[in-house]
Amino acid sequence: FKETVPRRRLFAPRRSAGVTAMTLKAGEVRAYLLANGVTKAQYDKAEGRGLSGLQELAESVNCTLKDEETVRMAVAAASAEKKATTSEAALTPLTAEERKRFAAAFEHFDKDKSGELDVKEFRSAMLDSGMCPYPYEQEELFKTADMDGSGTITFEEYCHFIQVYRAKQSWWERMMESMTDKFMPKPSYLTKTAASAAELH
């Protein structure tokens, strides 16, 4: 009878070959070992030998399961990085026309011409660009947009924020904003921008 590590459950207390009882979950150990270069076949084989087998496998790739906090932190970091990469890949790029419009809004609401938006300027630009968040969401959205924590928003941060904001919207929110943008009068600064462009041609 071989002791195995049950999946999705805590490791059972055991003392063998210098390995003390662990509270790590099987999924955490598996993710940690695979991230350190262990193959699935190697993991499955070692898992059948219980904790001692998994610790030996860890040592074979120059890591250890004894420092549980390090294991958890490494797994959490890898998970966060994967989510961030997936999220970035899922963002829909802005078209040249959209960037042009958002640039006009950004410049118009940058009242002090600093090249950045403060909280008040950001709120105005966001609403005027067709985004309709609830009032209680606006401060939190500013923090999301302020990627470097400077307290102001650059144009590139603003464009990135718009992409993230759109990705989180429901189909109903997208439809309502599209309808509002379609039937509401265009802002005066956009009309002037279009007129200036026409004169150049």
Side-chain angles (χ1 to χ4, degrees):
F1 176 79
K2 290 186 177 181
E3 178 186 359
T4 60
V5 181
R7 295 182 185 276
R8 300 185 184 87
R9 294 176 60 185
L10 297 179
F11 281 109
R14 176 186 177 184
R15 292 182 180 276
S16 176
V19 182
T20 58
M22 274 197 268
T23 59
L24 289 172
K25 295 181 180 179
E28 292 174 321
V29 173
R30 185 174 189 275
Y32 180 67
L33 292 177
L34 293 180
N36 278 280
V38 168
T39 67
K40 292 181 179 180
Q42 288 175 317
Y43 176 84
D44 290 340
K45 183 177 180 180
E47 185 186 29
R49 295 168 50 212
L51 292 180
S52 59
L54 291 171
Q55 174 59 26
E56 288 174 11
L57 180 60
E59 291 173 353
S60 73
V61 290
N62 298 315
C63 59
T64 181
L65 301 178
K66 296 178 181 179
D67 188 345
E68 297 185 21
E69 188 61 26
T70 296
V71 173
R72 290 195 177 96
M73 288 176 64
V75 171
S79 177
E81 183 178 355
K82 182 178 180 180
K83 287 180 180 179
T85 302
T86 301
S87 297
E88 288 293 324
L91 297 180
T92 302
L94 299 178
T95 65
E97 189 62 31
E98 287 175 325
R99 284 184 66 90
K100 183 179 178 180
R101 172 179 176 171
F102 296 139
F106 189 94
E107 183 178 353
H108 177 75
F109 288 104
D110 179 18
K111 298 300 184 183
D112 59 3
K113 304 306 175 186
S114 64
E116 299 178 337
L117 302 181
D118 59 23
V119 177
K120 185 177 180 180
E121 293 170 337
F122 170 76
R123 183 184 298 114
S124 298
M126 181 171 55
L127 295 173
D128 209 68
S129 295
M131 292 174 279
C132 304
Y134 293 106
Y136 66 84
E137 294 179 305
Q138 292 173 13
E139 185 174 346
E140 196 60 37
L141 291 175
F142 180 82
K143 293 178 182 178
T144 299
D146 184 15
M147 297 174 67
D148 61 4
S150 65
T152 55
I153 308 298
T154 65
F155 178 62
E156 289 305 320
E157 285 179 325
Y158 184 63
C159 288
H160 183 267
F161 164 75
I162 293 171
Q163 293 174 273
V164 172
Y165 180 82
R166 287 179 170 180
K168 293 181 178 179
Q169 282 183 308
S170 67
W171 68 270
W172 172 253
E173 290 171 324
R174 288 195 297 271
M175 184 183 75
M176 290 300 294
E177 288 187 4
S178 177
M179 295 291 286
T180 300
D181 188 53
K182 182 176 181 180
F183 293 107
M184 289 293 287
K186 298 296 181 186
S188 59
Y189 65 83
L190 282 181
T191 305
K192 291 178 182 178
T193 300
S196 298
E199 290 176 3
L200 292 174
H201 293 286

